[in-house]
C-alpha cells in the first residue's frame, strides 16, 4: 500500500487541513469579478506552514473557474518568466480559437496610450504586463482571467516589486480580471512593505491572510480519514495522539503521518507504530526544517537562539543578553535579524518566542554544536551529519 502522506516542501497534502475559509474567500472573489478583495493577496506564514501548498491550491481554484494560472517564484528574471508563460498560453489559446474559427489572434491592445500591432507568435516578446494584457484580451472571449502566484515574495528585489505592483495596479484600474497572490515569510514581507514608494502603498492594501497552525482536532479527523481512505485503520485515541504530536504544524502533520504509516505498511496502525512514528517524525523535522534554517544563520544568531531555548516559554531580551554576556542593545540587533529570518516571533513587549514547533527542544539537544565559541572552533562538526 502506498504511503498517502507527503512530507515534502510544496507537495500537495492528501488532505488540506484547516484552509477552507481561504479557498472560499478566493472563489467568492473570482465570482464577484474585478475589484474584489481576495484577487489581490499577500499571504504570510512561518516556514512549513503551507504557503507554497496554498498558492497551488488557490491556483487550482482559479483553474477550476477556467482562469489561466501562472506560478512563479520570486528572483532574478521573474517578470520575464511571467511574460514567457503568458505568451505561451496565449499562443496555445489562439491556436485553439483559430481551430474554432474565432478571431482572437488579431486583437489590438491599446495600453498606456499606445496602440499595438497584431501580435504574431514569432514576434519578439513584450514587457511582461503587455503579455499579460494580451492574454487577458484573448481570455475575454471566454469570460475568464489570469491568476499569477508569486512564492517567496520576500526575495523579490525592489525594482521588480515596484514594476509588478505598478503594473498590476494599472490592470486592476482597467477592471481586468486579474488575480495576484503572493506569499512570503512574515517579517521579511513587513520590511518589504515598509518602504515609502507608491507601489508598496498599493500592495499594503492587499488582503493579508496569515497562515497559522491548524486546529489539532481537525488534524485528528484528517488522520482518521486519510488512513481509512487508504485502506488501513486507526483508533480515535491514536489519531488524537498523532494529532497532538503535530501541534497543528502542517509540515509535522505530513511527517507524523508518513513515519507512523511506514512502521507497518499494512493492517491496523498500533500504539507501537504511533510511538515510533512520532519519534521518527521529530527527528526528521530537526533534519529537514531546523538544521537547514540554522545553517543559514551566523554563529551569533545561533548562540542567541540557544540561550533563548533555556526558557520554557517566551524569553525576555534582557535575559538573553545577560546569558550571552552582552548588552540588550547588542542582543537587539540579533533579535531583529532572527525576526526577519522567521526563526522567532514577538510575544508581547520585550518578549520573543520560537516560531517553529520543537525548535526549542532541538536547540537544547544540539546546543554544543550550534553556539559561537571562539576558543573551540573545531567543536562544530558539520561534516559529522545529524545525530
Ligand atoms: N493545510 C495543510 N494540511 C496538511 N498538510 C499541509 C497543509 N499545508 C501544508 N501541508 C504540508 O506541509 C508541508 C510544507 O508545506 P509548504 O511547502 O507549502 O510550506 P511553506 O510554508 O511553503 O514552507 P517554506 O516557508 O519552507 O517555503 C508539505 O509537506 C505539505 O504537504
Ligand atoms: Mg514554500
Amino acid at each position: 500500500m502506498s504511503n498517502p502522506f507527503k512530507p515534502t516542501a510544496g507537495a500537495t497534502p492528501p488532505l488540506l487541513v484547516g484552509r477552507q475559509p481561504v479557498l472560499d474567500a478566493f472563489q467568492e472573489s473570482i465570482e464577484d469579478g474585478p475589484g474584489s478583495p481576495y484577487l489581490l493577496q499577500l499571504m504570510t506564514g512561518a516556514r512549513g506552514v503551507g504557503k507554497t501548498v496554498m498558492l497551488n491550491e488557490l491556483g487550482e481554484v482559479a483553474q477550476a473557474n477556467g482562469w489561466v494560472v501562472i506560478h512563479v517564484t520570486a528572483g532574478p528574471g521573474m517578470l520575464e518568466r511571467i511574460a514567457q508563460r503568458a505568451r505561451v498560453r496565449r499562443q496555445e489559446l489562439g491556436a485553439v480559437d483559430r481551430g474554432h474559427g474565432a478571431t482572437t489572434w488579431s486583437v489590438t491592445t491599446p495600453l498606456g496610450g499606445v496602440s499595438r500591432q497584431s501580435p504574431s507568435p514569432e514576434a519578439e516578446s513584450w514587457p511582461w504586463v503587455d503579455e499579460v494584457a494580451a492574454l487577458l484580451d484573448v481570455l475575454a472571449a471566454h469570460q475568464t482571467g489570469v491568476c499569477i502566484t508569486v512564492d517567496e515574495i520576500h526575495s523579490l528585489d525592489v525594482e521588480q516589486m515596484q514594476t509588478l505592483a505598478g503594473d498590476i495596479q494599472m490592470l486592476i484600474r482597467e477592471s481586468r480580471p486579474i488575480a495576484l497572490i503572493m506569499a512570503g515569510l512574515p517579517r521579511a514581507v513587513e520590511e518589504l512593505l515598509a518602504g515609502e514608494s507608491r507601489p508598496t502603498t498599493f500592495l499594503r492594501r492587499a488582503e493579508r491572510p496569515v497562515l497559522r497552525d491548524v486546529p489539532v482536532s481537525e488534524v485528528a479527523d484528517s488522520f482518521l480519514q486519510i488512513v481509512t481512505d487508504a485502506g488501513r485503520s486507526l483508533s480515535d485515541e491514536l489519531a488524537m495522539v498523532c494529532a497532538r504530536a503535530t501541534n497543528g504544524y502542517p509540515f509535522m502533520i505530513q511527517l507524523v503521518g508518513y513515519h507512523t504509516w511506514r512502521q507497518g505498511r499494512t493492517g491496523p496502525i498500533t500504539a507501537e507504530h504511533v510511538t515510533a512514528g512520532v519519534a521518527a517524525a521529530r527527528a526528521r523535522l530537526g533534519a529537514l526544517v531546523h538544521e537547514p534554517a540554522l545553517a543559514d544563520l551566523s554563529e551569533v544568531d545561533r548562540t542567541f537562539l540557544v540561550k533563548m531555548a533555556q526558557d520554557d516559554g517566551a524569553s525576555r531580551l534582557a535575559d538573553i543578553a545577560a546569558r550571552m554576556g552582552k548588552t540588550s542593545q547588542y542582543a537587539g540587533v540579533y533579535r531583529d535579524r532572527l525576526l526577519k529570518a522567521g526563526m522567532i516571533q514577538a510575544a508581547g513587549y520585550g518578549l520573543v518566542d520560537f516560531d517553529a514547533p520543537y525548535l526549542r527542544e532541538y536547540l537544547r539537544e544540539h546546543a554544543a554544536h550550534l553556539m559561537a565559541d571562539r576558543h573551540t572552533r573545531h567543536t562544530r562538526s558539520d561534516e559529522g551529519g545529524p545525530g
Side-chain angles (χ1 to χ4, degrees):
M1 255 176 259
S2 67
N3 196 323
F5 294 95
K6 305 290 172 208
T8 304
T12 302
L15 231 164
L16 189 72
V17 183
R19 302 287 187 233
Q20 198 57 43
V22 188
L23 299 179
D24 291 345
F26 187 51
Q27 172 64 36
E28 225 173 273
S29 277
I30 286 184
E31 287 166 15
D32 293 343
S36 302
Y38 289 93
L39 297 181
L40 182 63
Q41 297 190 40
L42 181 45
M43 232 160 28
T44 54
R47 283 207 173 75
V49 84
K51 296 180 296 297
T52 302
V53 159
M54 236 16 241
L55 292 177
N56 291 340
E57 296 287 330
L58 292 173
E60 298 274 311
V61 170
Q63 206 160 8
N65 284 270
W67 286 41
V68 166
V69 181
I70 299 175
H71 293 294
V72 287
T73 301
M78 184 195 84
L79 295 175
E80 287 73 29
R81 288 200 300 280
I82 297 177
Q84 220 167 24
R85 306 256 182 97
R87 182 180 186 75
V88 168
R89 287 315 305 272
R90 175 165 55 81
Q91 290 172 352
E92 287 169 5
L93 287 163
V96 169
D97 283 349
R98 276 185 302 182
H100 287 83
T103 55
T104 43
W105 256 130
S106 47
V107 284
T108 310
T109 317
L111 206 65
V114 185
S115 225
R116 252 199 314 265
Q117 303 283 313
S118 305
S120 80
E122 298 78 24
E124 66 192 68
S125 65
W126 299 329
W128 86 280
V129 67
D130 293 353
E131 291 286 3
V132 171
L135 175 58
L136 285 165
D137 287 339
V138 174
L139 291 171
H142 307 259
Q143 295 192 321
T144 63
V146 175
C147 171
I148 298 169
T149 80
V150 181
D151 204 358
E152 321 226 338
I153 188 80
H154 48 268
S155 36
L156 199 60
D157 61 64
V158 177
E159 203 176 308
Q160 281 195 87
M161 175 53 105
Q162 295 198 339
T163 307
L164 177 72
D167 289 345
I168 286 286
Q169 186 167 20
M170 187 184 67
L171 292 174
I172 291 175
R173 220 164 46 207
E174 291 176 353
S175 289
R176 303 289 203 128
I178 180 95
L180 174 65
I181 318 285
M182 301 157 284
L185 295 170
R187 178 69 181 203
V189 165
E190 260 171 50
E191 281 200 2
L192 197 75
L193 296 182
E196 289 306 315
S197 59
R198 279 183 57 227
T200 56
T201 309
F202 161 74
L203 278 182
R204 256 180 259 153
R205 295 193 198 112
E207 288 295 328
R208 300 276 301 274
V210 179
L211 297 184
R212 300 183 196 284
D213 293 344
V214 298
V216 167
S217 61
E218 285 186 44
V219 177
D221 291 344
S222 81
F223 278 135
L224 286 172
Q225 192 179 328
I226 294 162
V227 168
T228 313
D229 286 354
R232 296 180 67 185
S233 62
L234 175 71
S235 72
D236 290 0
E237 292 73 30
L238 289 177
M240 200 58 199
V241 173
C242 288
R244 280 205 203 94
T246 71
N247 257 314
Y249 177 51
F251 199 173
M252 194 63 176
I253 299 175
Q254 301 308 316
L255 284 172
V256 168
Y258 181 85
H259 288 283
T260 299
W261 177 281
R262 71 187 291 265
Q263 299 303 316
R265 297 183 62 85
T266 53
I269 290 176
T270 66
E272 288 70 36
H273 294 158
V274 170
T275 307
V278 167
R282 274 192 54 183
R284 290 305 291 156
L285 183 73
L288 290 169
V289 179
H290 303 327
E291 201 180 273
L294 291 167
D296 285 346
L297 304 174
S298 75
E299 288 202 340
V300 181
D301 289 327
R302 287 195 291 263
T303 303
F304 184 107
L305 293 173
V306 168
K307 298 298 182 191
M308 194 177 143
Q310 292 178 14
D311 293 314
D312 290 325
S315 305
R316 285 172 13 143
L317 184 65
D319 293 342
I320 301 168
R323 289 172 200 154
M324 293 173 80
K326 304 285 184 186
T327 63
S328 286
Q329 199 180 15
Y330 178 93
V333 172
Y334 290 91
R335 175 198 55 199
D336 290 348
R337 283 165 53 94
L338 292 164
L339 281 167
K340 187 177 172 192
M343 299 298 294
I344 61 176
Q345 55 189 350
Y349 186 75
L351 293 171
V352 286
D353 206 347
F354 292 110
D355 217 4
Y358 299 116
L359 178 55
R360 189 190 316 277
E361 290 78 359
Y362 182 89
L363 287 161
R364 286 177 180 173
E365 284 162 23
H366 297 80
H369 299 295
L370 293 166
M371 281 201 296
D373 188 340
R374 283 186 175 76
H375 307 292
T376 52
R377 290 175 67 169
H378 299 290
T379 53
R380 272 189 69 212
S381 60
D382 288 351
E383 304 78 32

